[in-house]
Structure formats: C-alpha cells, structure tokens
Amino acid sequence: MAEAISRIAVDAIGRLFRVQGPASETDLNAKLGALISSHVELKSEHPAASFACASVIPDHTTVDYALVVEAKFIRKNTRPSKASEGMAADLTKYPSDVHILFLVYDPEHRIADDVTFCRDFESRGRCSVAILR
C-alpha cells in the first residue's frame, strides 16, 4: 500500500503544483489527501494516538490504521534537518505496529542526497520515504 501511494504522489506532484505550489503544510496535506483518496480510502487527522501523555494526530491513515501517511514540507528557508527531526519524532510517537509513509515535498531540492536521506530512515524499519518535487 505504501508503495502504491508513493507512486501516485511522485507521479502527480509535479503536475499538481506546476502553476502554484502549496501555501502551507496544511494546504499540501489537503491536496495530497484529495489526490490519494481518489485511489485509496483514507481518513485524515484521525485517529489520535497517545505517547508520553500527549496525542499525535496522523495526517492521513488507511481505514485499518495499518498505514499512516505523514507529509513534510521543506520550504525555501527550511533546513532538511527540521523535516528529519519531525520524522524521527513521528517514528517514536506512533505505535510500533504501524507503518509510516513519509511524503517529503522538497520543491527547492534542499535535500542534497535523496538516497542517503531515505535510506537512513528506511533502514530503521517500519517506514518508507518518498521525496516529492
């Protein structure tokens, strides 16, 4: 499922934002959610999971909650380390039986080495990473 969603997003993202990029991560999530849910049944911003007395709310989940989709938006003035810190936190906060698909929108190509960025996360298990441009 993660591979299918990655393929959909990677294939469409350039056309989706060719004229106008997303205004914010919220806008990015709304558009990605609409795109992906036209192929796969998703829930957005539901259900919340608890970790260390706090709630973590997924951007999108499959109906059976076996897959969480988290979008990260690297803006022109954002260092890739900010996205990687958020991703690392998500890996800690979500239950260990959930697979997390990170869709990282990097229109300015701020990530210098896509292979290393993805491999470092994916080598930890239970997640997949797709860089979107």
Side-chain angles (χ1 to χ4, degrees):
M1 180 72 73
E3 286 181 31
I5 291 172
S6 291
R7 224 174 303 124
I8 291 165
V10 168
D11 289 347
I13 202 76
R15 291 179 303 225
L16 186 64
F17 296 126
R18 181 176 49 103
V19 175
Q20 175 82 30
S24 64
E25 193 165 305
T26 301
D27 186 37
L28 172 65
N29 265 309
K31 290 179 170 96
L32 283 173
L35 171 69
I36 296 165
S37 66
S38 68
H39 296 80
V40 176
E41 189 174 353
L42 291 180
K43 293 180 181 183
S44 294
E45 303 284 328
H46 181 78
S50 293
F51 179 80
C53 301
S55 292
V56 59
I57 301 171
D59 293 333
H60 311 283
T61 61
T62 54
V63 176
D64 63 0
Y65 193 59
L67 176 66
V68 168
V69 179
E70 282 289 336
K72 302 299 179 194
F73 184 1
I74 301 178
R75 293 167 193 78
K76 187 181 292 187
N77 298 322
T78 305
R79 293 185 335 245
S81 62
K82 183 171 182 182
S84 65
E85 288 166 4
M87 293 165 65
D90 287 342
L91 283 169
T92 300
K93 292 177 182 179
Y94 284 110
S96 60
D97 60 340
V98 171
H99 188 85
I100 305 167
L101 170 60
F102 293 107
L103 298 176
V104 182
Y105 182 57
D106 180 24
E108 304 290 329
H109 211 294
R110 304 275 295 153
I111 297 171
D113 184 345
D114 294 356
V115 172
T116 300
F117 186 90
C118 295
R119 184 186 58 226
D120 285 351
F121 279 99
E122 291 173 346
S123 69
R124 301 292 173 112
R126 66 182 276 269
C127 76
S128 306
V129 181
I131 308 292
L132 310 176
R133 296 194 175 93

